[in-house]
Amino acid sequence: MPIISRYLLLPALVLVFLASISLTADTVLAQPRPVKRNFDTEIQAALESAKSAAGFEFLGTLARNCLLPQSGGEDSRDNVPEYVTNPAKAPARDSWYAEPAKVYDNFYFVGGKIHSSWALTTKEGIILIDTIYPYNSEELVLGGMKKLGLDPKDIKYLLVSHAHNDHIGGAEMIQKRYGPRVVMGGPDWDMVEKFPNRYKSMAPKRDIVATDGMKITLGESTVTIWLTPGHTPGTISYTFTVLDRGKPVNMAYSGGTAFNFVNNTPDPGIGNFQIYIDSQRHLAAKAAGATVLLSNHSEFDNAYNKNRMLAGRGNGAHPYDIGAEWVQRYFKVTEGCARAAQLRLEQKVFETAMP
Ligand SMILES: [Zn+2]
């Protein structure tokens, strides 16, 4: 017995020694280590990265996400919008009317000065993206299509990027009238059902729930859907190809840009910004090679001005075609602005913990 003990003693001592080391390491790690962080420098760096990415191309995106004050809290009201109760309260036509435009061989702008709506035409019918407000979808979207020689009866798919009134406004009317399949993100379908007053006259019946990588194919064209939660929990974005004088052009369509989520408190603001940032990276990766960046607000993609530039194109470059590098820069702007805002919330947490 004593011999066995002696043989066991050394390995046992080694084990105790090793255990004590790991215990010490754990104890050290468990203690809060005061890390000095210069939040002002970090925030400045994030803002600088957004600014230098924006150049002159994405000034609107930069202004909206980096410079203007953010609305922060949750909107839990369920009120019928004034312009639905009383159409006379709708904004003046001058403030939103824009001429429709044939932008590519098979891609048409049927939006307004501020908000965009797009028709992708195929041999089998039309894929419509976004529908603007209830008070102007009839004139801008349907009227615009007719002006350009497109028949709204051919709308086979309607993609709603997110359930805000400036994009879903005409969806119920178009679904009822022409019966297209309607695609939207799951959480946004839920939102429409949760707020019957907010979406009065705008709520399509639940149809296709978007999934990441879902392909909507009609005739010779396919729109691939990407889940990009952030702006709303169900925001969806797209990649697809159009033809420019017969040549294929890859498009990236970002379905939601501004920080409309709860962002005025660290919890859930920090997490919400992370969801937004992850979505920007996700779409940026899927949009590798895209040379056109579209959004549903002219503020972000300059659609209104670019449509007017089309007339003077001649044999030059297409005004929407900014090249793959610039498309990627859009996502650097949105990510940089989101990171700066996220850092401000992290700073709040840090200062509360260590006054
Ligand atoms: Zn929105």
Side-chain angles (χ1 to χ4, degrees), residues 162 164 166-167 231:
H162 66 265
H164 280 158
D166 48 352
H167 312 297
H231 181 74

Side-chain angles (χ1 to χ4, degrees), residues 57-354:
E57 185 64 34
F58 297 118
L59 282 177
T61 309
L62 182 79
R64 183 67 133 89
N65 283 3
C66 269
L67 308 175
L68 293 172
Q70 301 298 326
S71 60
E74 189 175 4
D75 185 6
S76 53
R77 292 165 301 169
D78 186 26
N79 302 330
V80 180
E82 214 174 25
Y83 49 73
V84 172
T85 324
N86 178 6
K89 296 273 171 119
R93 188 177 179 277
D94 279 5
S95 68
W96 50 258
Y97 183 79
E99 284 296 317
K102 178 173 182 168
V103 174
Y104 285 98
D105 304 0
N106 55 345
F107 198 57
Y108 298 75
F109 177 88
V110 287
K113 265 183 199 160
I114 303 163
H115 302 91
S116 304
S117 176
W118 295 92
L120 175 64
T121 59
T122 79
K123 290 184 188 111
E124 304 291 330
I126 293 168
I127 299 175
L128 184 70
I129 303 176
D130 291 327
T131 63
I132 322 192
Y133 281 106
Y135 56 81
N136 57 13
S137 49
E138 176 95 45
E139 180 170 10
L140 290 177
V141 182
L142 304 180
M145 286 177 71
K146 287 173 195 161
K147 259 192 169 178
L148 297 169
L150 305 177
D151 189 343
K153 280 201 212 85
D154 294 335
I155 303 171
K156 301 293 184 226
Y157 282 99
L158 166 55
L159 315 183
V160 180
S161 304
H162 66 265
H164 280 158
N165 301 9
D166 48 352
H167 312 297
I168 198 176
E172 179 179 324
M173 177 265 289
I174 290 170
Q175 187 191 46
K176 276 187 183 157
R177 231 186 262 180
Y178 307 109
R181 302 297 311 269
V182 181
V183 185
M184 197 156 65
D188 283 21
W189 279 118
D190 296 344
M191 201 153 73
V192 168
E193 282 161 10
K194 192 175 163 193
F195 299 107
N197 292 322
R198 187 189 294 179
Y199 293 105
K200 196 174 176 182
S201 83
M202 303 174 226
K205 282 212 186 76
R206 186 183 279 259
D207 192 8
I208 300 174
V209 177
T211 55
D212 199 51
M214 177 185 264
K215 291 191 185 301
I216 300 296
T217 299
L218 188 65
E220 70 282 22
S221 286
T222 295
V223 174
T224 306
I225 294 178
W226 304 106
L227 300 188
T228 51
H231 181 74
T232 65
T235 295
I236 55 176
S237 297
Y238 324 104
T239 51
F240 53 96
T241 302
V242 300
L243 293 175
D244 179 26
R245 295 174 178 170
K247 285 192 191 132
V249 179
N250 293 327
M251 324 285 281
Y253 188 112
S254 173
T257 302
F259 306 150
N260 278 58
F261 42 85
V262 179
N263 63 51
N264 55 358
T265 51
D267 182 15
I270 293 173
N272 284 345
F273 275 115
Q274 198 54 49
I275 291 169
Y276 179 95
I277 289 169
D278 291 345
S279 290
Q280 301 312 299
R281 292 177 179 171
H282 183 48
L283 186 57
K286 298 303 176 186
T291 58
V292 175
L293 185 284
L294 293 178
S295 98
N296 36 26
H297 288 250
S298 273
E299 185 183 354
F300 306 129
D301 65 4
N302 301 312
Y304 177 66
N305 290 330
K306 288 184 176 183
N307 290 341
R308 292 191 298 170
M309 287 157 67
L310 276 170
R313 177 187 178 186
N315 291 322
H318 194 289
Y320 276 83
D321 206 325
I322 56 176
E325 194 212 321
W326 275 98
V327 169
Q328 292 298 315
R329 286 171 75 154
Y330 166 85
F331 298 106
K332 291 286 164 227
V333 178
T334 52
E335 182 180 334
C337 295
R339 180 64 186 135
Q342 188 188 40
L343 276 164
R344 288 195 191 101
L345 295 178
E346 288 178 14
Q347 186 174 21
K348 262 191 201 173
V349 176
F350 192 82
E351 283 167 357
T352 316
M354 298 200 200

